[in-house]
Amino acid sequence: MKILFLNGPNLNLLGLREPEIYGSATLAQIEAKVRKHAAKLGAEVDFRQTNLEGELVNWIQQARGNFDVIVLNAAAYTHTSVAIRDAISAVGIPTIEIHLSNVHRREEFRHKSLISSVCRGIIAGFGPNSYLLALEAAVNDIRN
Ligand code: CA2
């Protein structure tokens, strides 16, 4: 099983700024945990980050035929991007929406996700473990 992890804007700052909200782990440390766990589960992982909305759209489109599942932390684009929603819908690959923080405990503008309704499921609020839980979900729920 091949799983594409995509990370949106500002997630490259993890562990470097605002640790009280997002924790002290860097994205590279989260990636390392994901890779270690994926190896145990026999899953293959690609892990990417970009600050550009269009790049996320391109990566989602290019996943067709190359990945079985997408795990997506679209960061702020979760709440704004019709383009990312349309790409997920068009590509037809099961996509798991994830967040480090529990977006529903935060500002009201984070309560609305434009992508949830085209995703297979949502995991939020478990910090870096949200990534590992998504990996488990991908392997146990989506693998056929
Ligand atoms: O909780 C999450 O994973 C979010 O997707 C993170 C996004 C936020 O806009 C979403 O509402 C929820 C923000 C990612 C920004 O990450 C930073 C990390 C360190 C310092 C500043 C921002």
Side-chain angles (χ1 to χ4, degrees):
M1 168 173 257
K2 292 176 76 174
I3 308 171
L4 177 60
F5 281 78
L6 296 181
N7 295 282
N10 298 308
L11 288 165
N12 55 312
L13 299 177
L14 277 181
L16 310 173
R17 305 261 192 289
E18 300 190 69
E20 63 287 354
I21 302 177
Y22 296 113
S24 57
T26 65
L27 195 60
Q29 288 167 339
I30 294 173
E31 177 179 354
K33 279 191 182 180
V34 165
R35 288 192 179 283
K36 199 172 166 188
H37 201 56
K40 283 187 207 147
L41 297 174
E44 205 176 306
V45 158
D46 195 335
F47 197 100
R48 307 178 193 167
Q49 189 274 332
T50 178
N51 291 327
L52 306 180
E53 182 178 18
E55 191 153 33
L56 285 170
V57 170
N58 284 340
W59 286 343
I60 291 165
Q61 288 184 12
Q62 290 158 9
R64 193 198 289 270
N66 293 312
F67 292 94
D68 302 299
V69 181
I70 298 171
V71 175
L72 175 62
N73 187 347
Y77 290 138
T78 304
H79 317 296
T80 64
S81 180
V82 176
I84 291 173
R85 177 204 164 87
D86 287 349
I88 297 167
S89 179
V91 82
I93 297 173
T95 298
I96 303 172
E97 174 183 350
I98 65 165
H99 301 285
L100 293 152
S101 62
N102 178 349
V103 283
H104 297 285
R105 291 183 67 166
R106 301 185 62 196
E107 303 95 324
E108 193 146 352
F109 66 85
R110 296 186 202 277
H111 298 181
K112 177 76 190 165
S113 165
L114 296 191
I115 66 174
S116 294
S117 60
V118 292
C119 285
R120 175 71 183 76
I122 307 152
I123 297 168
F126 298 99
N129 282 333
S130 292
Y131 286 75
L132 301 179
L133 291 167
L135 180 57
E136 293 275 348
V139 170
N140 293 320
D141 187 69
I142 296 171
R143 175 179 271 165
N144 43 30

